[in-house]
Amino acid sequence: AQSVAQPEDQVNVAEGNPLTVKCTYSVSGNPYLFWYVQYPNRGLQFLLKYITGDNLVKGSYGFEAEFNKSQTSFHLKKPSALVSDSALYFCAVRERSSNTGKLIFGQGTTLQVKP
Amino acid sequence: DTAVSQTPKYLVTQMGNDKSIKCEQNLGHDTMYWYKQDSKKFLKIMFSYNNKELIINETVPNRFSPKSPDKAHLNLHINSLELGDSAVYFCASSQDRVGANVLTFGAGSRLTVL
């Protein structure tokens, strides 16, 4: 069964510093991988996805993520954090072979960027 | 123009009541979903429909009944509400149900059962 783990409930970063939000996954075969962000009292918004090819994926708002097949990870990164990046971040996975398209989310990581 | 809209945004009701949440998307997508986000912010898929056909039914109690009158609408009816049903319910849609399709989420409907 497919699963996603985000090992940190919360990540605290000072504004201007680099940030990393971790994600590891377990699926059969190669996955499609996604990051979504949820601001307070809002729905989730898509940030970026990995399909194939280059392991470094660039997305919205200066975020990027690195796919590492051997470590089954897809960590979210940003070189310089902004206070406005403070939000709840979800990693998600979908099996390529799935005929239902079921998208499984990790438990979420709260990013707190302090001025 | 909201892409995925849900109504109502807030719903407060007593245990045992029946309530519905409506969802509409104007993106022309073929697939729609209901997700439940609990108090710990954990997101769990409940149902998905593709062109009005039920695709995913994720061991949800049969008190929950989705209905898709057309591919732009997916409603959720809940019978005999229980305290544990309190959550935020998100509707989402995607172009198709497989591949690298991205989900577009509504703003959520917060259900509080007293």
Side-chain angles (χ1 to χ4, degrees):
Chain A
Q2 54 185 344
S3 65
V4 182
Q6 294 179 238
E8 302 151 316
D9 286 340
Q10 182 156 327
V11 170
N12 297 312
V13 173
E15 188 174 32
N17 282 0
L19 69 88
T20 299
V21 182
K22 295 180 181 176
C23 171
T24 59
Y25 64 89
S26 173
V27 312
S28 54
N30 289 324
Y32 295 113
L33 294 159
F34 305 81
W35 276 101
Y36 286 80
V37 59
Q38 184 179 22
Y39 296 101
N41 300 314
R42 303 280 296 275
L44 279 71
Q45 296 175 35
F46 168 72
L47 272 182
L48 51 81
K49 64 181 176 182
Y50 172 78
I51 303 175
T52 188
D54 195 348
N55 290 340
L56 187 64
V57 178
K58 293 188 186 296
S60 307
Y61 312 121
F63 283 94
E64 57 191 29
E66 186 164 12
F67 171 61
N68 187 317
K69 187 175 180 179
S70 62
Q71 296 185 3
T72 61
S73 67
F74 189 56
H75 301 333
L76 181 70
K77 301 181 180 188
K78 188 173 182 181
S80 178
L82 298 172
V83 172
S84 57
D85 292 330
S86 299
L88 181 58
Y89 290 81
F90 289 96
C91 182
V93 64
R94 179 186 287 132
E95 287 184 354
R96 282 180 195 263
S97 59
S98 169
N99 61 1
T100 65
K102 189 168 155 182
L103 187 65
I104 299 298
F105 286 87
Q107 62 267 49
T109 299
T110 299
L111 174 66
Q112 189 74 40
V113 181
K114 298 195 173 163
Chain B
D1 206 19
T2 306
V4 179
S5 58
Q6 302 178 223
T7 54
K9 192 172 173 67
Y10 299 98
L11 198 49
V12 180
T13 189
Q14 300 287 330
M15 269 198 313
N17 284 351
D18 304 339
K19 290 294 176 186
S20 293
I21 307 171
K22 295 187 175 183
C23 179
E24 175 182 3
Q25 54 97 0
N26 63 6
L27 298 167
H29 287 169
D30 284 346
T31 309
M32 295 185 73
Y33 311 79
W34 279 111
Y35 276 84
K36 178 181 180 180
Q37 186 173 45
D38 63 23
S39 57
K40 295 185 179 179
K41 306 294 185 184
F42 186 68
L43 267 170
K44 189 176 187 326
I45 188 163
M46 301 173 70
F47 303 102
S48 79
Y49 272 74
N50 190 69
N51 256 320
K52 302 194 297 176
E53 179 189 355
L54 180 65
I55 301 298
I56 296 175
N57 183 346
E58 196 68 8
T59 59
V60 177
N62 57 16
R63 297 183 296 104
F64 290 78
S65 51
K67 279 209 173 90
S68 183
D70 55 63
K71 74 173 194 176
H73 294 85
L74 179 61
N75 303 323
L76 183 66
H77 187 75
I78 316 170
N79 290 327
S80 304
L81 279 156
E82 300 177 357
L83 292 176
D85 298 331
S86 294
V88 181
Y89 293 85
F90 285 101
C91 178
S93 71
S94 64
Q95 184 64 52
D96 198 351
R97 68 178 190 266
V98 294
N101 282 286
V102 170
L103 270 62
T104 300
F105 283 81
S109 297
R110 182 178 294 275
L111 172 65
T112 303
V113 183
L114 302 175

